[in-house]
Amino acid sequence: VPVGSKTAIVGPSGAGKSSLLSLMERFYDPTSGVIKVFGHESPSLPREALRGYFGYVEQDAPVLAGTIRDNLLIGSPEASDDQLTAVLDEVNLRDILSRDPQGLDAQVGEGGVLLSGGERQRMAIARALLQAPAILLLDESTSSLDGPNELLMKHAIDKVSQERTVIVIAHRLATVVDSDQIIVLSEGTIDAIGTHEELLTSSSLYKNLAEHQLLV
């Protein structure tokens, strides 16, 4: 994965997409093969040092009861208000500050119930970005998002990709068709690698996924 690129990992359910991110984070070690991060084999690095490279946003990343500020400061307690506002802007969430006169101190409700599903996901991305990771890992699920929220998620991913290396598991191809490269997984192995246009002709599995999502 080239530094500064956006790489998408796609494939049917059970192909191994989330497992691949878990291996990168060393939730467990590979039984064969090697994972290198900036030239270092991952088992040679202390877990804390390795994970310092990554910002990881899970598919169901939680939003906790409390305020917008509380949720953003979980991993970066020293962040300033200007930094909080800037990171919300980076993931297209600046508008939630104007919905309540309390701004950053507005309540989000139990489990983030006062936010939409798309807003909760982008809040989790903002929380990860505050830690300034070199590599952002997104296990991104847009299956439950409506069209406008899915488009906002795509714009957020595009925006954060401009400053760092992003690896995103894509459940909806529409959010990643402009990725620098797309890796197609099938039953734990790589079926094909290429751009959206290249894969439409080189990978029958990818073309099938795209057809089912009405992208061709």
Side-chain angles (χ1 to χ4, degrees), residues 66-143:
T67 66
I68 295 170
R69 185 195 306 277
D70 294 335
N71 273 276
L72 292 176
L73 292 180
I74 290 171
S76 307
E78 304 302 320
S80 67
D81 284 7
D82 285 346
Q83 288 174 307
L84 301 186
T85 302
V87 80
L88 289 173
D89 189 49
E90 195 170 358
V91 297
N92 294 324
L93 269 182
R94 181 75 172 266
D95 62 309
I96 67 171
L97 299 180
S98 60
R99 294 205 304 240
D100 189 301
Q102 296 188 76
L104 287 167
D105 294 312
Q107 296 288 325
V108 299
E110 187 72 33
V113 69
L114 299 180
L115 303 174
S116 71
E119 287 170 342
R120 288 193 293 272
Q121 287 179 319
R122 282 178 280 141
M123 180 76 77
I125 296 174
R127 189 164 56 208
L129 290 180
L130 273 173
Q131 299 173 55
I135 305 168
L136 184 63
L137 305 178
L138 299 178
D139 194 346
E140 171 267 313
S141 177
T142 55
S143 57

Side-chain angles (χ1 to χ4, degrees), residues 21 57-59 121 125 138-143 145 150 153 157 168-172 175-176:
L21 292 198
V57 181
E58 302 168 85
Q59 183 172 326
Q121 287 179 319
I125 296 174
L138 299 178
D139 194 346
E140 171 267 313
S141 177
T142 55
S143 57
L145 301 186
E150 184 178 359
M153 175 63 77
I157 293 172
V168 54
I169 289 178
H171 303 266
R172 292 280 298 166
T175 60
V176 295

Side-chain angles (χ1 to χ4, degrees), residues 1-10 17 20-21 24 134-140 157-158 160-162 164-171 173 175-185 190 192-196 199 206:
V1 175
V3 172
S5 68
K6 179 170 71 172
T7 294
I9 302 171
V10 306
K17 301 185 294 295
L20 194 53
L21 292 198
M24 292 179 196
I135 305 168
L136 184 63
L137 305 178
L138 299 178
D139 194 346
E140 171 267 313
I157 293 172
D158 290 346
V160 301
S161 300
Q162 295 171 12
R164 60 191 55 82
T165 304
V166 174
I167 301 173
V168 54
I169 289 178
H171 303 266
L173 301 183
T175 60
V176 295
V177 290
D178 57 350
S179 297
D180 298 301
Q181 64 176 353
I182 300 172
I183 299 172
V184 185
L185 291 188
I190 294 175
I193 300 176
T195 64
H196 171 71
L199 291 172
Y206 184 84

